[in-house]
Amino acid sequence: MSKSLKQYRLLIWISLILILGFIAVLATSYLVSKDALRRGLSENMLPITGDNVYSEIQKDVLRPVFVSAQMANDTFVRDWILEGEQDAAQISKYLKEVKARNNAISSFLVSDLTKNYYYPEGLLKNIKETEVRDQWYFRLKNLKTAYETNVDIDLANHDSMTIFTNYRVLDYNGKFLAAVGIGLTLDTMKNLIDSYQSRFQRKIYFVDRKGNLVLSGNSFKQKKINILTSAGLDQIAKQILANTKNESLHLEYSVEDESIYVNSRFIPELGWHLLVEQNLDSELKPLQRLLLINAVIGLAITLAVIMIVLFSVRRYQKRIEKSAATDSLTKLLNRQAFDFVFQQALLDSERSRQPLCVALMDIDHFKKVNDKYGHLVGDHVLKEIAAIARRSLRESDVICRWGGEEFLLLLKNCSLEKATSISENLRSTIAANDFSRTTDLAKGRLSITVSMGVAECKTHETEDSVFERADVALYQAKESGRNSVYFSE
């Protein structure tokens, strides 16, 4: 029996086993589908949704905190107040730019020296401790934390309900100097919550440290609730409020014979708890029906796929054999194999939010080495550089032969600065190495140098784009005299 026939025979047996196993699983799946779906939704889908919502909130809701912090640490703001607030037009222009640049409804500065309240149009008023509307300022002044987030009416915008981020400004001696910040209208925030709910098909809202509802979408029926006294939520309220770390908490409560799963996370920048809810019972029945339909469709597709595989296995096997994973000379990954590794590393980097860099390395004047010493020496240089690179790089790093005299380095969990340092160390090691020591083909000292271009992968950047930037940096290194490392911003 030929090798090819044996491979087909194995596939036929595997196909029969798969079909029998599929039928057996289909016969018992209905009995366990409810528990499996419940477990999958509660342990996987809802936590992932909670993390996605939190990521969106970091981008949309927490931005005012970051902007206000930048304002509070701006030396222009401090100096303008300390120099006597002489030109109100300067601070008005500054506040106007902050407001426009961040699409805010309001931006402000209140000086502790004069008690003047400035906004983008100029001086709004002089605050007073006896004024009820000004109590926030004197509360902030005595606050131990750097800032607070609160919902209040905005005098500068026709008393519209606004979420303010109030940040303390300190002088160069650490003494309270002023309050700055920006505000987003409550309607804007509610629309953001509605967009989250529509996108993720979940109920999303915020409660403060005492359990009071502080922010929800426009579709939220109950506007004033406290989870400590709300039916169902009171079962898990204490656990939610006790979680003061920025960690995801997965809980469940029952109300009116329905099971509700909750993903809760404390957001320290706001001082609020984010709650993402999902009613599982209403989703289980259609999912079970869909499971049965998918099982029938899946069986048909499985049979079709098996038939295609049986007739196509030889063609695909030949293609796999042609795409060997390693370069025969250097024993490094080849370019085709590296593509798979890079795509996986890129996904891991985006998921873990850790930096990922690539470095393109080219041997300087390699053609002259081949012309002077011969191709055997050239091959020796390639193998020696591959060995040096393996010894110099970290265990987690990947190196491949990119083509000819070019090598590509994949540096995981590595910032651009660190990647440039690693590349520079590799470059200097190669430059200091005597390549004639490990071969009898070259007479006398044989020195080789390399040029390198480094680039950090940006969010959602394509493979071609990052390699192109690394290639541009490599070209700069060559144009600058070679034997150097350049990086691309």
Side-chain angles (χ1 to χ4, degrees):
M1 187 179 293
S2 66
K3 180 180 178 182
S4 177
L5 185 58
K6 287 182 179 179
Q7 290 172 337
Y8 277 111
R9 184 180 179 183
L10 178 61
L11 280 172
I12 292 171
W13 278 108
I14 292 175
S15 300
L16 290 174
I17 292 171
L18 285 174
I19 293 172
L20 293 174
F22 187 87
I23 294 173
V25 170
L26 183 62
T28 57
S29 62
Y30 182 77
L31 299 176
V32 299
S33 60
K34 183 176 181 178
D35 290 337
L37 287 171
R38 183 185 297 273
R39 187 165 53 253
L41 289 171
S42 63
E43 296 179 1
N44 296 314
M45 291 180 62
L46 187 60
I48 290 173
T49 300
D51 292 340
N52 289 337
V53 171
Y54 178 65
S55 297
E56 293 290 331
I57 288 168
Q58 283 184 309
K59 181 179 68 176
D60 296 327
V61 180
L62 299 185
R63 180 169 177 77
V65 177
F66 303 140
V67 173
S68 300
Q70 291 176 338
M71 294 172 66
N73 291 283
D74 195 325
T75 55
F76 163 75
V77 173
R78 296 178 186 174
D79 293 342
W80 183 82
I81 298 173
L82 293 173
E83 290 171 1
E85 308 171 29
Q86 297 179 6
D87 188 356
Q90 287 184 326
I91 202 66
S92 296
K93 181 180 179 181
Y94 173 83
L95 294 173
K96 189 175 294 184
E97 289 182 359
V98 170
K99 175 183 174 182
R101 189 165 58 246
N102 296 282
N103 196 28
I105 190 65
S106 176
S107 58
F108 64 90
L109 181 148
V110 181
S111 169
D112 195 55
L113 301 179
T114 61
K115 299 300 186 293
N116 285 337
Y117 187 121
Y118 298 96
Y119 75 124
E121 305 305 321
L123 178 63
L124 180 64
K125 66 172 185 175
N126 189 266
I127 65 168
K128 299 177 182 178
E129 196 165 2
T130 56
E131 178 67 40
V132 175
R133 285 190 172 187
D134 298 336
Q135 291 303 308
W136 67 268
Y137 174 80
F138 299 97
R139 180 181 67 248
L140 178 69
K141 180 178 179 180
N142 298 316
L143 207 63
K144 293 183 179 179
T145 55
Y147 69 94
E148 69 170 5
T149 300
N150 69 316
V151 180
D152 204 350
I153 57 175
D154 187 4
L155 180 63
N157 288 285
H158 310 292
D159 284 353
S160 59
M161 292 302 295
T162 304
I163 297 181
F164 284 101
T165 300
N166 307 318
Y167 221 102
R168 291 162 50 88
V169 181
L170 306 179
D171 63 16
Y172 297 104
N173 295 318
K175 182 180 177 182
F176 182 77
L177 186 63
V180 294
I182 63 173
L184 298 176
T185 62
L186 197 60
D187 287 340
T188 300
M189 301 304 297
K190 287 183 176 181
N191 291 336
L192 282 174
I193 300 299
D194 284 336
S195 71
Y196 300 156
Q197 292 184 147
S198 175
R199 192 185 321 168
F200 299 110
Q201 295 298 303
R202 304 289 185 268
K203 184 178 179 181
I204 301 168
Y205 56 99
F206 295 86
V207 298
D208 61 20
R209 296 174 188 266
K210 296 180 180 180
N212 297 310
L213 177 69
V214 290
L215 183 60
S216 63
N218 293 304
S219 59
F220 202 92
K221 296 180 180 179
Q222 297 170 286
K223 298 302 180 183
K224 293 184 178 180
I225 67 167
N226 186 296
I227 62 174
L228 289 168
T229 57
S230 179
L233 279 168
D234 58 349
Q235 303 167 22
I236 58 173
K238 291 183 179 179
Q239 291 175 266
I240 292 174
L241 299 180
N243 180 29
T244 57
K245 297 182 179 180
N246 190 10
E247 296 176 352
S248 186
L249 193 64
H250 315 308
L251 301 169
E252 178 186 5
Y253 71 88
S254 300
V255 58
E256 297 180 357
D257 297 326
E258 290 186 335
S259 297
I260 310 295
Y261 280 82
V262 178
N263 182 267
S264 172
R265 183 192 293 268
F266 181 68
I267 304 179
E269 294 88 350
L270 296 174
W272 297 345
H273 294 269
L274 165 66
L275 275 68
V276 181
E277 287 189 4
Q278 181 181 16
N279 185 332
L280 298 183
D281 289 350
S282 61
E283 297 188 22
L284 285 173
K285 290 183 179 179
L287 284 173
Q288 288 174 337
R289 289 195 297 268
L290 184 61
L291 175 66
L292 294 176
I293 295 172
N294 286 341
V296 175
I297 296 174
L299 179 59
I301 293 175
T302 300
L303 292 173
V305 169
I306 289 174
M307 294 302 296
I308 294 172
V309 170
L310 288 173
F311 287 104
S312 305
V313 64
R314 285 304 302 160
R315 182 164 58 92
Y316 284 108
Q317 185 162 344
K318 288 180 180 179
R319 183 180 298 179
I320 292 171
E321 289 172 353
K322 290 180 180 179
S323 59
T326 57
D327 173 62
S328 59
L329 178 64
T330 62
K331 307 305 179 185
L332 299 175
L333 288 179
N334 62 20
R335 187 165 184 168
Q336 188 170 0
F338 181 83
D339 286 342
F340 294 104
V341 175
F342 178 80
Q343 290 298 332
Q344 185 60 49
L346 198 60
L347 292 174
D348 292 342
S349 173
E350 291 179 356
R351 183 166 52 248
S352 62
R353 299 183 181 178
Q354 293 178 339
L356 178 69
C357 288
V358 297
L360 196 57
M361 178 172 67
D362 184 85
I363 303 175
D364 297 330
H365 304 297
F366 184 70
K367 185 177 183 301
K368 293 182 179 180
V369 174
N370 281 330
D371 292 342
K372 183 176 180 180
Y373 298 98
H375 287 279
L376 290 178
V377 173
D379 289 347
H380 166 72
V381 168
L382 290 171
K383 290 189 287 185
E384 188 72 3
I385 286 180
I388 293 173
R390 278 193 292 259
R391 293 195 300 267
S392 300
L393 297 182
R394 302 169 303 172
E395 188 174 343
S396 61
D397 298 331
V398 180
I399 179 171
C400 88
R401 187 178 178 189
W402 196 241
E405 66 271 25
E406 284 189 331
F407 298 83
L408 188 64
L409 284 61
L410 180 63
L411 308 174
K412 302 178 182 178
N413 189 17
C414 189
S415 65
L416 182 59
E417 180 181 0
K418 187 175 181 181
T420 305
S421 175
I422 291 173
S423 299
E424 176 60 29
N425 179 62
L426 176 58
R427 181 207 63 77
S428 62
T429 302
I430 292 173
N433 185 65
D434 181 7
F435 286 79
S436 67
R437 291 184 305 168
T438 52
T439 180
D440 297 325
L441 298 173
K443 306 301 181 182
R445 180 180 178 83
L446 176 58
S447 296
I448 301 294
T449 62
V450 295
S451 300
M452 301 183 70
V454 185
E456 181 177 352
C457 299
K458 300 177 180 178
T459 304
H460 304 307
E461 187 177 23
T462 64
E463 179 180 354
D464 291 340
S465 174
V466 67
F467 289 164
E468 182 179 351
R469 291 194 295 108
D471 194 52
V472 170
L474 174 61
Y475 179 80
Q476 291 176 326
K478 290 181 177 180
E479 286 294 301
S480 300
R482 293 182 168 82
N483 191 25
S484 58
V485 178
Y486 275 68
F487 62 87
S488 170
E489 294 286 357

